[in-house]
Amino acid sequence: MAKPIKITETVLRDAHQSLIATRMSTEQMLPIIDKMDKVGYHSVECWGGATFDASLRFLKEDPWERLRKLRDGFKNTKLQMLFRGQNILGYNHYSDDVVEYFVQKSIANGIDIIRIFDCFNDLRNLETAVKAANKENGHAQIALSYTLGDAYTLDYWKETAKKIEDMGANSICIKDMAGLLLPYKATELVEALKEGTSLPIQLHTHYTSGVASMTYLKAVEAGVDVIDTAMSPFAMGTSQPATEVMVETFKGTEYDTGLDQNLLAEIADYFRPMQEDALKTGLLNPKVMGVNIKTLLYQVPGGMLSNLVSQLKDFKAEDKYYDVLEEIPNVRKDFGEPPLVTPSSQIVGTQAVLNVINGERYKIATKESKKILSGEFGQTIKPFNKEVQKKCIGDVEPITCRPADLIEPQLAKFEKEIAQYKQQDEDVLSYALFPAVATEFFKYREAQQTKVDANVADNENKAYPV
Ligand code: CO
């Protein structure tokens, strides 16, 4: 029986986030979306994750405007975004009214599928976003942050899948951000999830450790429904397996995607010069294209490794790299063995650096480490190390409820704070997530508009001298 595999194309989000620091601009995307719309992808992931921050901060673009332009162009294809549960696209927990409004506006501006995850897989942190997506008739996909450790048994994944189905999600994604899922483990995992739920299962992985396309092959054979791939110029390395390769692999089999390889080749031709330019300017470091076997040894996402190198440089302690790599699993254990994904990856990584640099563990604990140990990010799979907790937060009583239950509604306050810059409803959400960066962007936007107005006035004066 034919069981065509569906493809989510990531070139407009994860692929450029993973390879070129999220620097692909809307202008670079627009000329090709007409062709991409004809492919017949299950969905195109094009928004959320780090794209929102990067648009405002580095590209001086309004992310909402980008979404509307993509929606205009993609007439037949579902648009997908990545959403960090109660963190939305930021690094803190937000009140429910902000989460609900963000979901509502994302869907109103064109998103069809919202992939929602939490760095601890604490399902309580996903509830509000899932409910909001259901209410707006969006597709709520819950992504399980995949990681290794003795607590993460097949039974754990299976039980979690059951709970996700009960929560009202429309599908489940295995989110393997570090490329840790090995081919034969993928078979077991997909089979376990399929036992736990009847929801469609999608697989998202990265090529970092070099096994990704084999993992897809085994997962597909085990019954996975959708895989995430990227057009070849932005595939492999720390990105996803190449779309064309996976399409060709399944051609003529019961899993045939039915996608047109000639059309894909034309799309790849469009992206290739962009990749070559990025190599020339150094935006794309050839190093990230290779196999990073350390990611398997240390179970650390590729992005985290490059962060460590730059943090150690700041301390002039590059020689401590391997000490830090060895300290990471210890910190992770002290913090209840969470998956390492934004923001837990940054928090654990930074704490490991401090522990090594200071020559004493938790002599200095970051604000974020204290937040984790106070329960402010939610519940981890294992308890925290009591001694470490005591050393970092003293006698403060940790919270055990859903963290957002303790956060008062924030939207009205944010509205007041940005009133003078507001040009569209969505501006308050940009501000809520990245107050300083958004404010700077709003000022830049105003300055640009004044410039344009002045030019128009200037030209009018020339044309119609008075
Ligand atoms: Co990813």
PDB file of all heavy atoms in Angstrom, residues 10 13-15 17-18 45 82 115 175-178 204-206 228 238-240 341, ligand 1:
ATOM      1  N   THR A  10      12.575  23.380   5.147  1.00  0.00           N
ATOM      2  CA  THR A  10      13.031  24.286   6.210  1.00  0.00           C
ATOM      3  C   THR A  10      13.955  25.412   5.735  1.00  0.00           C
ATOM      4  O   THR A  10      14.474  26.167   6.555  1.00  0.00           O
ATOM      5  CB  THR A  10      13.802  23.500   7.298  1.00  0.00           C
ATOM      6  OG1 THR A  10      15.024  23.021   6.731  1.00  0.00           O
ATOM      7  CG2 THR A  10      13.003  22.341   7.847  1.00  0.00           C
ATOM      8  N   ARG A  13      13.654  28.806   7.266  1.00  0.00           N
ATOM      9  CA  ARG A  13      13.765  29.012   8.706  1.00  0.00           C
ATOM     10  C   ARG A  13      14.974  28.268   9.298  1.00  0.00           C
ATOM     11  O   ARG A  13      16.056  28.810   9.388  1.00  0.00           O
ATOM     12  CB  ARG A  13      12.469  28.583   9.437  1.00  0.00           C
ATOM     13  CG  ARG A  13      12.233  29.293  10.784  1.00  0.00           C
ATOM     14  CD  ARG A  13      13.096  28.816  11.950  1.00  0.00           C
ATOM     15  NE  ARG A  13      12.904  27.422  12.316  1.00  0.00           N
ATOM     16  CZ  ARG A  13      13.621  26.806  13.257  1.00  0.00           C
ATOM     17  NH1 ARG A  13      14.541  27.446  13.942  1.00  0.00           N
ATOM     18  NH2 ARG A  13      13.422  25.524  13.507  1.00  0.00           N
ATOM     19  N   ASP A  14      14.817  27.013   9.609  1.00  0.00           N
ATOM     20  CA  ASP A  14      15.873  26.345  10.357  1.00  0.00           C
ATOM     21  C   ASP A  14      17.187  26.272   9.580  1.00  0.00           C
ATOM     22  O   ASP A  14      18.268  26.440  10.157  1.00  0.00           O
ATOM     23  CB  ASP A  14      15.426  24.927  10.750  1.00  0.00           C
ATOM     24  CG  ASP A  14      16.200  24.383  11.931  1.00  0.00           C
ATOM     25  OD1 ASP A  14      17.186  25.035  12.336  1.00  0.00           O
ATOM     26  OD2 ASP A  14      15.834  23.325  12.444  1.00  0.00           O
ATOM     27  N   ALA A  15      17.100  26.033   8.263  1.00  0.00           N
ATOM     28  CA  ALA A  15      18.328  25.843   7.480  1.00  0.00           C
ATOM     29  C   ALA A  15      19.212  27.087   7.538  1.00  0.00           C
ATOM     30  O   ALA A  15      20.408  26.993   7.807  1.00  0.00           O
ATOM     31  CB  ALA A  15      17.981  25.492   6.037  1.00  0.00           C
ATOM     32  N   GLN A  17      18.910  29.496   9.737  1.00  0.00           N
ATOM     33  CA  GLN A  17      19.231  29.746  11.151  1.00  0.00           C
ATOM     34  C   GLN A  17      20.447  28.914  11.556  1.00  0.00           C
ATOM     35  O   GLN A  17      21.336  29.378  12.269  1.00  0.00           O
ATOM     36  CB  GLN A  17      18.029  29.405  12.042  1.00  0.00           C
ATOM     37  CG  GLN A  17      18.307  29.627  13.533  1.00  0.00           C
ATOM     38  CD  GLN A  17      17.072  29.428  14.412  1.00  0.00           C
ATOM     39  OE1 GLN A  17      15.954  29.703  14.001  1.00  0.00           O
ATOM     40  NE2 GLN A  17      17.270  28.941  15.610  1.00  0.00           N
ATOM     41  N   SER A  18      20.491  27.670  11.093  1.00  0.00           N
ATOM     42  CA  SER A  18      21.558  26.765  11.509  1.00  0.00           C
ATOM     43  C   SER A  18      22.881  27.039  10.790  1.00  0.00           C
ATOM     44  O   SER A  18      23.936  26.782  11.345  1.00  0.00           O
ATOM     45  CB  SER A  18      21.145  25.312  11.243  1.00  0.00           C
ATOM     46  OG  SER A  18      19.996  25.000  11.997  1.00  0.00           O
ATOM     47  N   GLU A  45       8.423  25.586   6.560  1.00  0.00           N
ATOM     48  CA  GLU A  45       8.728  26.256   7.825  1.00  0.00           C
ATOM     49  C   GLU A  45       9.446  27.556   7.477  1.00  0.00           C
ATOM     50  O   GLU A  45      10.488  27.548   6.810  1.00  0.00           O
ATOM     51  CB  GLU A  45       9.630  25.368   8.696  1.00  0.00           C
ATOM     52  CG  GLU A  45       9.732  25.910  10.116  1.00  0.00           C
ATOM     53  CD  GLU A  45      10.924  25.382  10.893  1.00  0.00           C
ATOM     54  OE1 GLU A  45      11.989  25.166  10.287  1.00  0.00           O
ATOM     55  OE2 GLU A  45      10.789  25.192  12.109  1.00  0.00           O
ATOM     56  N   LEU A  82       8.004  27.876  14.367  1.00  0.00           N
ATOM     57  CA  LEU A  82       8.492  27.221  15.589  1.00  0.00           C
ATOM     58  C   LEU A  82       8.255  28.155  16.769  1.00  0.00           C
ATOM     59  O   LEU A  82       8.583  29.342  16.709  1.00  0.00           O
ATOM     60  CB  LEU A  82       9.984  26.914  15.455  1.00  0.00           C
ATOM     61  CG  LEU A  82      10.614  26.194  16.656  1.00  0.00           C
ATOM     62  CD1 LEU A  82      10.030  24.794  16.801  1.00  0.00           C
ATOM     63  CD2 LEU A  82      12.125  26.117  16.512  1.00  0.00           C
ATOM     64  N   ARG A 115       4.455  24.742  15.521  1.00  0.00           N
ATOM     65  CA  ARG A 115       5.198  23.686  16.211  1.00  0.00           C
ATOM     66  C   ARG A 115       5.632  24.242  17.561  1.00  0.00           C
ATOM     67  O   ARG A 115       6.403  25.186  17.632  1.00  0.00           O
ATOM     68  CB  ARG A 115       6.410  23.252  15.396  1.00  0.00           C
ATOM     69  CG  ARG A 115       7.286  22.249  16.118  1.00  0.00           C
ATOM     70  CD  ARG A 115       8.444  21.796  15.271  1.00  0.00           C
ATOM     71  NE  ARG A 115       7.996  20.968  14.147  1.00  0.00           N
ATOM     72  CZ  ARG A 115       8.783  20.592  13.148  1.00  0.00           C
ATOM     73  NH1 ARG A 115      10.048  20.970  13.125  1.00  0.00           N
ATOM     74  NH2 ARG A 115       8.318  19.848  12.163  1.00  0.00           N
ATOM     75  N   LYS A 175      11.711  16.302  17.957  1.00  0.00           N
ATOM     76  CA  LYS A 175      12.622  17.405  17.647  1.00  0.00           C
ATOM     77  C   LYS A 175      14.018  17.042  18.136  1.00  0.00           C
ATOM     78  O   LYS A 175      14.314  17.136  19.319  1.00  0.00           O
ATOM     79  CB  LYS A 175      12.110  18.672  18.339  1.00  0.00           C
ATOM     80  CG  LYS A 175      12.952  19.903  18.136  1.00  0.00           C
ATOM     81  CD  LYS A 175      12.282  21.089  18.825  1.00  0.00           C
ATOM     82  CE  LYS A 175      13.226  22.257  19.012  1.00  0.00           C
ATOM     83  NZ  LYS A 175      13.750  22.779  17.764  1.00  0.00           N
ATOM     84  N   ASP A 176      14.830  16.616  17.183  1.00  0.00           N
ATOM     85  CA  ASP A 176      16.186  16.178  17.530  1.00  0.00           C
ATOM     86  C   ASP A 176      17.163  17.281  17.152  1.00  0.00           C
ATOM     87  O   ASP A 176      17.839  17.208  16.128  1.00  0.00           O
ATOM     88  CB  ASP A 176      16.487  14.869  16.781  1.00  0.00           C
ATOM     89  CG  ASP A 176      17.895  14.371  17.042  1.00  0.00           C
ATOM     90  OD1 ASP A 176      18.479  14.718  18.086  1.00  0.00           O
ATOM     91  OD2 ASP A 176      18.423  13.637  16.177  1.00  0.00           O
ATOM     92  N   MET A 177      17.228  18.299  17.999  1.00  0.00           N
ATOM     93  CA  MET A 177      17.977  19.511  17.654  1.00  0.00           C
ATOM     94  C   MET A 177      19.479  19.287  17.557  1.00  0.00           C
ATOM     95  O   MET A 177      20.180  20.040  16.922  1.00  0.00           O
ATOM     96  CB  MET A 177      17.657  20.635  18.646  1.00  0.00           C
ATOM     97  CG  MET A 177      17.800  20.278  20.110  1.00  0.00           C
ATOM     98  SD  MET A 177      16.331  19.365  20.694  1.00  0.00           S
ATOM     99  CE  MET A 177      16.932  18.732  22.256  1.00  0.00           C
ATOM    100  N   ALA A 178      19.983  18.239  18.212  1.00  0.00           N
ATOM    101  CA  ALA A 178      21.432  18.035  18.239  1.00  0.00           C
ATOM    102  C   ALA A 178      21.893  16.919  17.302  1.00  0.00           C
ATOM    103  O   ALA A 178      23.083  16.677  17.176  1.00  0.00           O
ATOM    104  CB  ALA A 178      21.879  17.734  19.668  1.00  0.00           C
ATOM    105  N   HIS A 204      12.142  15.706  13.000  1.00  0.00           N
ATOM    106  CA  HIS A 204      13.013  16.836  12.713  1.00  0.00           C
ATOM    107  C   HIS A 204      14.383  16.532  13.285  1.00  0.00           C
ATOM    108  O   HIS A 204      14.523  16.262  14.475  1.00  0.00           O
ATOM    109  CB  HIS A 204      12.437  18.089  13.392  1.00  0.00           C
ATOM    110  CG  HIS A 204      13.315  19.296  13.300  1.00  0.00           C
ATOM    111  ND1 HIS A 204      13.234  20.177  12.257  1.00  0.00           N
ATOM    112  CD2 HIS A 204      14.293  19.758  14.115  1.00  0.00           C
ATOM    113  CE1 HIS A 204      14.120  21.155  12.433  1.00  0.00           C
ATOM    114  NE2 HIS A 204      14.778  20.927  13.551  1.00  0.00           N
ATOM    115  N   THR A 205      15.404  16.535  12.429  1.00  0.00           N
ATOM    116  CA  THR A 205      16.740  16.307  12.961  1.00  0.00           C
ATOM    117  C   THR A 205      17.745  17.230  12.277  1.00  0.00           C
ATOM    118  O   THR A 205      17.384  17.986  11.371  1.00  0.00           O
ATOM    119  CB  THR A 205      17.158  14.828  12.823  1.00  0.00           C
ATOM    120  OG1 THR A 205      18.362  14.623  13.558  1.00  0.00           O
ATOM    121  CG2 THR A 205      17.387  14.445  11.388  1.00  0.00           C
ATOM    122  N   HIS A 206      18.966  17.179  12.731  1.00  0.00           N
ATOM    123  CA  HIS A 206      20.054  17.967  12.140  1.00  0.00           C
ATOM    124  C   HIS A 206      21.173  17.026  11.742  1.00  0.00           C
ATOM    125  O   HIS A 206      21.367  15.975  12.363  1.00  0.00           O
ATOM    126  CB  HIS A 206      20.543  19.017  13.144  1.00  0.00           C
ATOM    127  CG  HIS A 206      19.552  20.132  13.343  1.00  0.00           C
ATOM    128  ND1 HIS A 206      19.745  21.391  12.845  1.00  0.00           N
ATOM    129  CD2 HIS A 206      18.349  20.164  13.959  1.00  0.00           C
ATOM    130  CE1 HIS A 206      18.703  22.164  13.161  1.00  0.00           C
ATOM    131  NE2 HIS A 206      17.836  21.434  13.848  1.00  0.00           N
ATOM    132  N   ASP A 228      11.479  16.567   7.943  1.00  0.00           N
ATOM    133  CA  ASP A 228      11.929  17.942   7.691  1.00  0.00           C
ATOM    134  C   ASP A 228      13.221  17.908   6.888  1.00  0.00           C
ATOM    135  O   ASP A 228      14.198  17.284   7.319  1.00  0.00           O
ATOM    136  CB  ASP A 228      12.226  18.655   9.015  1.00  0.00           C
ATOM    137  CG  ASP A 228      10.967  19.068   9.747  1.00  0.00           C
ATOM    138  OD1 ASP A 228       9.885  18.559   9.394  1.00  0.00           O
ATOM    139  OD2 ASP A 228      11.073  19.895  10.672  1.00  0.00           O
ATOM    140  N   THR A 238      25.141  21.511  10.051  1.00  0.00           N
ATOM    141  CA  THR A 238      24.267  21.720  11.204  1.00  0.00           C
ATOM    142  C   THR A 238      22.804  21.900  10.788  1.00  0.00           C
ATOM    143  O   THR A 238      21.946  22.142  11.628  1.00  0.00           O
ATOM    144  CB  THR A 238      24.721  22.947  12.011  1.00  0.00           C
ATOM    145  OG1 THR A 238      24.961  24.011  11.105  1.00  0.00           O
ATOM    146  CG2 THR A 238      25.991  22.658  12.773  1.00  0.00           C
ATOM    147  N   SER A 239      22.526  21.790   9.482  1.00  0.00           N
ATOM    148  CA  SER A 239      21.152  21.918   8.982  1.00  0.00           C
ATOM    149  C   SER A 239      20.508  20.530   8.798  1.00  0.00           C
ATOM    150  O   SER A 239      20.971  19.548   9.370  1.00  0.00           O
ATOM    151  CB  SER A 239      21.178  22.701   7.664  1.00  0.00           C
ATOM    152  OG  SER A 239      19.902  22.774   7.086  1.00  0.00           O
ATOM    153  N   GLN A 240      19.444  20.468   7.993  1.00  0.00           N
ATOM    154  CA  GLN A 240      18.726  19.201   7.782  1.00  0.00           C
ATOM    155  C   GLN A 240      19.269  18.449   6.554  1.00  0.00           C
ATOM    156  O   GLN A 240      19.976  19.029   5.746  1.00  0.00           O
ATOM    157  CB  GLN A 240      17.230  19.500   7.549  1.00  0.00           C
ATOM    158  CG  GLN A 240      16.403  19.670   8.806  1.00  0.00           C
ATOM    159  CD  GLN A 240      16.587  21.022   9.453  1.00  0.00           C
ATOM    160  OE1 GLN A 240      16.473  22.051   8.812  1.00  0.00           O
ATOM    161  NE2 GLN A 240      16.893  21.028  10.737  1.00  0.00           N
ATOM    162  N   VAL A 341      18.315  22.468  24.730  1.00  0.00           N
ATOM    163  CA  VAL A 341      17.741  23.188  23.584  1.00  0.00           C
ATOM    164  C   VAL A 341      17.408  24.578  24.112  1.00  0.00           C
ATOM    165  O   VAL A 341      17.258  24.742  25.333  1.00  0.00           O
ATOM    166  CB  VAL A 341      16.501  22.429  23.044  1.00  0.00           C
ATOM    167  CG1 VAL A 341      15.403  22.297  24.086  1.00  0.00           C
ATOM    168  CG2 VAL A 341      15.929  23.067  21.771  1.00  0.00           C
TER     169      VAL A 341
HETATM  170 CO    CO B   1      16.036  22.429  14.242  1.00  0.00          CO
END
